Amino acid sequence: MEEYSILVTRIAYSDGQGFKVRPALVLKFNGELIRVFRITSQYEHKSDYIKSRYFEILDWYKAGLRKPSWIDTIKYYDIQDNGFNIKVIGRLSQRDLERLKKFLTDTDL
């Protein structure tokens, strides 16, 4: 696992009430802690604010995802690598990686 890998694992809901197995983008990995952004396929019915903080993955199929997807940059999540089933499914394309870095800089994240 390395930065900008895409994995599937159990991630907490934003309200902290439960978990969901979902894809996520690795931001940092130090052997114990994995910092990620969640990835979602839900976009159309979100508020304009939330849409402004979602980054579209253009090369979603190449990244190992099953359908068009967005990176939720509103909040990062820390996952302990302590026995959860974590499966790396792909990696952002170079094109999406460069676009993401610009997006994060432009949105002051």
Side-chain angles (χ1 to χ4, degrees):
M1 183 182 326
E2 56 190 36
E3 289 182 358
Y4 309 114
S5 293
I6 295 177
L7 54 81
V8 175
T9 192
R10 195 172 83 162
I11 298 177
Y13 286 118
S14 58
D15 64 6
Q17 301 296 313
F19 294 87
K20 179 179 180 179
V21 174
R22 65 178 322 125
L25 175 73
V26 176
L27 300 172
K28 286 185 181 178
F29 174 62
N30 69 7
E32 294 178 19
L33 183 74
I34 307 166
R35 179 161 288 170
V36 300
F37 279 143
R38 298 182 315 170
I39 295 176
T40 182
S41 62
Q42 304 299 310
Y43 179 81
E44 292 304 319
H45 301 291
K46 301 295 182 181
S47 70
D48 288 341
Y49 171 74
I50 290 176
K51 286 180 178 181
S52 75
R53 301 290 298 273
Y54 276 18
F55 173 81
E56 183 178 13
I57 301 172
L58 297 178
D59 300 325
W60 54 269
Y61 186 79
K62 289 180 185 176
L65 299 164
R66 296 182 188 166
K67 52 188 163 183
S69 299
W70 288 260
I71 298 170
D72 175 352
T73 67
I74 294 171
K75 177 182 175 185
Y76 63 81
Y77 295 80
D78 290 333
I79 302 168
Q80 299 288 329
D81 188 9
N82 60 1
F84 286 142
N85 188 12
I86 297 172
K87 180 180 178 185
V88 175
I89 62 168
R91 182 173 170 79
L92 280 186
S93 68
Q94 190 61 39
R95 171 173 77 153
D96 280 334
L97 177 56
E98 290 170 10
R99 290 178 49 252
L100 176 62
K101 288 179 179 179
K102 182 174 181 350
F103 179 84
L104 293 175
T105 301
D106 292 350
T107 54
D108 294 325
L109 297 177

